[in-house]
Amino acid sequence: MKKFLGNLLAACMCGFLVNVPVTGFTQAVWPEQGVPDYQELRAKVKAEGPKLLFSDSPEMVYETGILYRDTLQGEGRLFFHHVNGTSKLKKLAIIVKNNGLRPVNFAVTRSGIDGPSHDYQAVGKKSQEYYFEEQKSKNSTLGFGKTLELLSGEGMLLPTDQLLTGTIDFF
């Protein structure tokens, strides 16, 4: 009887919530009445900014190896989002390498990185807060074949099931 009353109460509450009028729209109360009237909105899309390098596949990393590799000249934005899915402590490193024959000027113009942590939502939010803070550009010169690690100079340790995420703008 308790279960029946609980289901009846839930059904009555759902019916009550569905019948609340919404200003400016005709609302369907039952599925047979179809989709409520709606207004289609058109969005303006601006395709500008640096080339996006997107490293989150796999999001859960179960093996050691290279997670993403690309070649780029000019402006770029790297977004990375990885969780250590192994049972061991791992290191995540973001390495830039000059493959050209001449030295290149390299600059990180903006970045926001947070983690590692088990609180994935907090890490994502905090990394974006850091990204939008006022920042100074970090400039370097890379000779032929030289590399630069962007997280700490040596990569960051990532404990099991913890997330490291960030966005880095560079030129």
Side-chain angles (χ1 to χ4, degrees):
M1 185 67 171
K2 250 185 180 177
K3 189 174 185 181
F4 171 75
L5 288 175
N7 290 339
L8 179 61
L9 179 59
C12 290
M13 289 179 72
C14 288
F16 172 74
L17 292 173
V18 170
N19 286 314
V20 174
V22 178
T23 309
F25 292 93
T26 305
Q27 185 178 15
V29 176
W30 302 107
E32 308 79 57
Q33 292 175 302
V35 176
D37 289 341
Y38 64 94
Q39 180 181 2
E40 189 170 322
L41 300 175
R42 299 275 180 203
K44 289 184 181 180
V45 177
K46 278 181 138 180
E48 60 182 41
K51 180 177 180 182
L52 177 64
L53 307 176
F54 197 82
S55 179
D56 86 332
S57 183
E59 180 178 342
M60 295 293 293
V61 180
Y62 297 108
E63 296 178 12
T64 300
I66 296 172
L67 303 177
Y68 182 86
R69 181 183 300 189
D70 210 333
T71 302
L72 179 69
Q73 290 182 347
E75 275 188 289
R77 174 174 292 148
L78 170 66
F79 172 78
F80 62 95
H81 183 88
H82 296 291
V83 176
N84 179 0
T86 73
S87 60
K88 297 178 179 172
L89 185 68
K90 294 291 181 176
K91 182 185 280 190
L92 182 66
I94 297 174
I95 300 171
V96 176
K97 181 179 180 184
N98 177 8
N99 289 324
L101 296 175
R102 301 183 197 278
V104 294
N105 294 320
F106 179 81
V108 171
T109 55
R110 174 171 297 280
S111 68
I113 300 164
D114 197 49
S117 173
H118 288 103
D119 190 344
Y120 301 169
Q121 185 174 4
V123 168
K125 180 181 176 183
K126 200 66 178 167
S127 73
Q128 289 300 293
E129 288 175 4
Y130 291 146
Y131 179 83
F132 287 107
E133 288 179 350
E134 189 173 326
Q135 300 182 25
K136 290 184 179 178
S137 185
K138 298 172 189 143
N139 302 310
S140 303
T141 300
L142 288 173
F144 168 70
K146 297 296 180 183
T147 61
L148 176 67
E149 199 286 322
L150 300 182
L151 295 177
S152 70
E154 297 179 2
M156 292 182 72
L157 294 176
L158 194 54
T160 300
D161 294 328
Q162 292 196 26
L163 167 71
L164 184 65
T165 192
T167 305
I168 302 173
D169 289 358
F170 58 90
F171 181 82

